[in-house]
Amino acid sequence: MKAIGEFTKGIIKENPVFIMALGLCPALAVSTSVENAIGMGAAATFVLLGSNLIISLIKNFIPAKIRIPCFILVIASFVTIVDMTMHAYLPPLHKSLGIFIPLIVVNCLILSRAEAFASKNGVGLSILDALGMGIGFTLALVIIATFREILGSGTFLNMQILPQSYKPMIVAILPPGAFFTIGLLMGLFNQLKKKNN
Amino acid sequence: MKNILKPTGILLIICVISSTILSVLYSRTKPIIEANNKAAIEAARKAVLPDAVKESFTAVDVNNIASGQPDFEPDSILFYKGYNQAGELVGFTYKSAGQGYSSSTKVVTMVGINLDLKIDKIKIIKQQETPGLGANCTSTDFTQHFSHKDPSTIKVDKDGGEIKSITGATITTRAVTNSIRDEFLTIKKDMMKQLDKGAE
Amino acid sequence: MQISNLFFIIISAIFINNFVLVRFLGLCPYIGVSKKLDSALGMGMAVIFVMTMASVFTWLINHFFLSPVTGIFNYDLTFLRTITFILSIAVLVQFVEMVIRKSAPELYKALGIYLPLITTNCAVLGVSILNITENYNFIEALLNGMASGVGFTLVLLLMAGMRERLDRAKVPKAFKGMPIAFILAGTMALAFLGFSGLKF
């Protein structure tokens, strides 16, 4: 039962973006299209899984004093793996995510999961935690991107869904649109949370 | 002393392990990445000069800098000749780069030139312009404006020319247009030389 | 090297491509530390300092170790860029913290608690990587690092000033705190879009 809780908490109750406000930079920067959002979500989930797994395995060997540098090293290695693999096999996606792939290293979501969860829990739970958080992160990105892509380009996953006569609201895919979207969605999440309580 | 040695040792071990893994992966992915880049460039060449056979493109090495180094591609000094099935010269392609709206990435355009020194087609191969505005430069609605124009005189409409600028993205339009023109003017002479050679 | 070019880098880093509002880097401290004006000032100063130092250090590392052309190993080690940069930033932050604590206790009191947070500020790693991808030389990298930090501090202070007022405003309950801060950031980003006209 506890295991299921560790998995599902990241998706809604402790959603990394909307509730805990972690990993905001990529959430805003790459959410101009749903395609990018899924790519970024998958990349971050992979790094999260890898780092949680390794850190929960080696946590007993690492002296407390140097644990943060060690975590950062592990995370940076996984990020470089994602970077190179994506560059080789998914070049268009690599190009559109650009600088935000190496910047997964400093995504506070990943370091905070390593510090707050993986360094204190076993391998199994850490993997579930990473999966849940990763899915929650991806979900949040996709939700933001859905609004921005539909309003800003009239498309969803590059398919035209609004009639051609719709004049795209370009501001939605410009930086201000990202801030407005996430602000409104966070307010919505707060409202829902209050109702549930 | 021991307090320092142990943490340092552990950090070192992690460093060594991770850089070993990374260098193995790097040596695996590097050839694939290079092949991808090469294939993308070749496809772009074919796209802007459709009459030519894909395998026929040969580099014209103006300054002899790149001789013997087929992968080495300085942006400014090379253009390529394209031949058709019969082995006749059908045109040239070159790359031009202009500073657009994004400060980190220039807008890079592949240009195809016909034998009468008019633009055949162009294709934007690299850009990081604003989505929804400048990024629309990749659409054929924009690039088709360039076909059959004389590259030595093209200008954006706001500068009194004939290229209709993208809504809200004059800077991007100007980057593309001016870079095509300036690059063409630098290599025009050498292109004409190649034409004379072909006529002989 | 032209002075106008350097001037352009500074203006661009502060206004046109503002790190927070246009590039989306360093958002966590931007939202997290902007509740009070004086803590925002402390954070801003610490960021300017670390970003400048990090630009210098990572540029040197890239130039002398990682780059295949100018590096001492003559081998392409750029695939280790992320890992070496983040490590050197972490070391740098620790080092700066120790030096300031010893030599300037007053300053340490003001900046102290913000320094460790900076390691995971993506703006620092961001500026280091951008310096390399934009092929900046040493002086340009240094200026870009400093100006980006100034740009970050500028919007952080503006935001903190507004949020102190916002505390007294009537905001719908669900929007209290972060949501309204983001809406505010959105309007600021709209205003900063106006700076894009400074280019050309």
Side-chain angles (χ1 to χ4, degrees):
Chain A
M1 205 49 225
K2 193 189 168 217
I4 297 173
E6 297 299 358
F7 175 65
T8 55
K9 71 170 191 291
I11 299 176
I12 295 176
K13 213 170 74 199
E14 289 181 24
N15 186 289
V17 177
F18 293 132
I19 305 294
M20 303 208 293
L22 293 171
L24 289 173
C25 307
L28 294 185
V30 302
S31 57
T32 48
S33 75
V34 177
E35 199 184 350
N36 284 357
I38 294 173
M40 186 64 187
T45 308
F46 175 79
V47 175
L48 201 53
L49 260 179
S51 66
N52 260 16
L53 171 72
I54 299 290
I55 287 165
S56 65
L57 279 174
I58 61 170
K59 62 176 186 288
N60 294 331
F61 301 102
I62 300 175
K65 239 195 223 160
I66 55 155
R67 63 178 197 289
I68 300 285
C70 290
F71 295 169
I72 291 179
L73 261 178
V74 173
I75 295 169
S77 312
F78 276 104
V79 169
T80 316
I81 292 175
V82 169
D83 193 4
M84 290 193 288
T85 326
M86 209 182 244
H87 200 168
Y89 298 106
L90 296 165
L93 188 63
H94 183 267
K95 217 159 99 184
S96 61
L97 294 182
I99 188 180
F100 283 91
I101 300 172
L103 285 180
I104 298 176
V105 181
V106 280
N107 187 330
C108 20
L109 168 65
I110 291 162
L111 190 65
S112 82
R113 288 335 283 171
E115 164 80 358
F117 199 92
S119 65
K120 299 191 181 84
N121 288 285
V123 178
L125 285 183
S126 296
I127 289 179
L128 284 176
D129 177 71
L131 267 181
M133 285 293 166
I135 292 172
F137 182 69
T138 314
L139 198 68
L141 252 65
V142 170
I143 293 175
I144 301 174
T146 308
F147 279 98
R148 292 182 69 191
E149 194 181 334
I150 291 179
L151 289 177
S153 336
T155 58
F156 180 74
L157 275 172
N158 298 331
M159 284 177 297
Q160 191 78 31
I161 58 160
L162 291 179
Q164 287 286 354
S165 58
Y166 171 74
K167 204 157 183 296
M169 216 170 87
I170 288 166
V171 74
I173 34 179
L174 292 178
F179 286 111
F180 288 137
T181 314
I182 197 170
L184 293 174
L185 284 172
M186 271 182 161
L188 189 71
F189 255 67
N190 280 350
Q191 187 69 31
L192 290 177
K193 214 170 63 177
K194 237 182 18 205
K195 266 198 183 149
N196 281 348
N197 284 349
Chain B
M1 216 30 209
K2 217 184 154 202
N3 285 340
I4 299 175
L5 280 182
K6 199 186 163 201
T8 321
I10 289 175
L11 265 183
L12 202 68
I13 292 171
I14 298 181
C15 279
V16 169
I17 294 175
S18 59
S19 42
T20 318
I21 297 174
L22 291 184
S23 49
V24 170
L25 190 67
Y26 174 71
S27 57
R28 287 277 167 81
T29 50
K30 198 184 172 198
I32 304 176
I33 293 170
E34 275 168 3
N36 281 346
N37 290 345
K38 221 176 137 198
I41 292 283
E42 274 168 8
R45 258 181 221 129
K46 167 77 183 155
V48 296
L49 201 63
D51 290 344
V53 186
K54 201 171 177 181
E55 291 75 26
S56 74
F57 287 103
T58 39
V60 179
D61 186 357
V62 179
N63 294 347
N64 268 328
I65 289 181
S67 52
Q69 287 177 291
D71 289 339
F72 185 63
E73 261 188 60
D75 281 336
S76 53
I77 54 156
L78 282 182
F79 60 93
Y80 282 73
K81 290 188 284 188
Y83 298 88
N84 64 7
Q85 289 277 318
E88 294 159 339
L89 184 68
V90 289
F92 310 100
T93 68
Y94 66 91
K95 273 200 292 187
S96 70
Q99 182 70 52
Y101 193 72
S102 148
S103 62
S104 55
T105 315
K106 287 188 170 178
V107 186
V108 183
T109 317
M110 182 68 84
V111 188
I113 297 287
N114 283 332
L115 287 186
D116 52 358
L117 295 184
K118 294 272 160 63
I119 296 177
D120 191 338
K121 284 199 169 88
I122 69 160
K123 187 179 163 77
I124 310 292
I125 52 177
K126 202 171 159 199
Q127 56 89 18
Q128 283 284 339
E129 303 300 291
T130 322
L133 298 173
N136 288 342
C137 65
T138 52
S139 74
T140 42
D141 287 346
F142 172 65
T143 54
Q144 68 182 11
H145 285 310
F146 288 86
S147 295
H148 316 301
K149 299 260 158 65
D150 179 356
S152 55
T153 56
I154 50 171
K155 266 187 196 156
V156 183
D157 52 4
K158 297 222 168 127
D159 300 336
E162 58 216 313
I163 303 296
K164 194 173 167 296
S165 48
I166 306 166
T167 320
T170 313
I171 289 173
T172 312
T173 320
R174 217 174 260 154
V176 175
T177 314
N178 293 357
S179 70
I180 291 177
R181 188 187 60 228
D182 296 345
E183 185 65 33
F184 179 76
L185 291 178
T186 30
I187 56 178
K188 188 176 176 186
K189 249 197 217 152
D190 295 291
M191 266 188 195
M192 311 253 282
K193 264 187 217 157
Q194 294 295 326
L195 275 180
D196 295 344
K197 241 194 236 168
E200 272 165 22
Chain C
M1 181 196 319
Q2 295 161 320
I3 299 292
S4 63
N5 190 23
L6 297 182
F7 182 70
F8 178 67
I9 288 178
I10 296 176
I11 294 296
S12 163
I14 299 180
F15 296 110
I16 307 174
N17 285 311
N18 186 280
F19 252 60
V20 180
L21 296 176
V22 180
R23 287 204 206 271
F24 296 114
L25 293 169
L27 279 177
C28 297
Y30 175 65
I31 297 294
V33 205
S34 62
K35 284 185 193 119
K36 287 242 160 51
L37 203 53
D38 46 350
S39 57
L41 188 66
M43 182 68 176
M45 291 300 143
V47 166
I48 294 178
F49 191 65
V50 173
M51 269 172 110
T52 316
M53 299 282 283
S55 295
V56 169
F57 266 82
T58 51
W59 191 91
L60 290 175
I61 289 175
N62 188 71
H63 190 79
F64 288 110
F65 295 110
L66 303 181
S67 160
V69 186
T70 51
I72 52 170
F73 299 120
N74 276 326
Y75 185 75
D76 191 4
L77 288 173
T78 42
F79 66 97
L80 289 176
R81 188 184 291 156
T82 315
I83 209 164
T84 46
F85 278 17
I86 187 71
L87 262 189
S88 47
I89 289 170
V91 170
L92 184 74
V93 171
Q94 285 270 313
F95 184 70
V96 167
E97 198 184 344
M98 284 192 293
V99 170
I100 294 184
R101 191 190 300 178
K102 280 265 162 62
S103 59
E106 282 295 298
L107 189 63
Y108 180 73
K109 242 190 225 160
L111 302 186
I113 51 166
Y114 304 110
L115 280 172
L117 289 176
I118 291 177
T119 315
T120 52
N121 182 344
C122 49
V124 181
L125 185 63
V127 79
S128 310
I129 295 177
L130 279 175
N131 282 337
I132 308 302
T133 52
E134 296 192 26
N135 271 326
Y136 280 159
N137 64 30
F138 184 75
I139 305 283
E140 288 169 337
L142 180 122
L143 277 178
N144 187 38
M146 194 157 29
S148 302
V150 171
F152 174 83
T153 310
L154 176 74
V155 293
L156 188 67
L157 287 178
L158 287 175
M159 184 71 170
M162 285 195 275
R163 277 181 85 176
E164 282 192 348
R165 299 260 168 139
L166 202 63
D167 278 348
R168 276 175 257 148
K170 269 192 190 157
V171 176
K173 251 193 195 137
F175 277 87
K176 272 224 153 68
M178 242 170 329
I180 195 72
F182 273 111
I183 308 274
L184 198 56
T187 44
M188 270 175 85
L190 266 183
F192 267 70
L193 266 190
F195 285 121
S196 57
L198 282 177
K199 207 161 191 178
F200 297 94

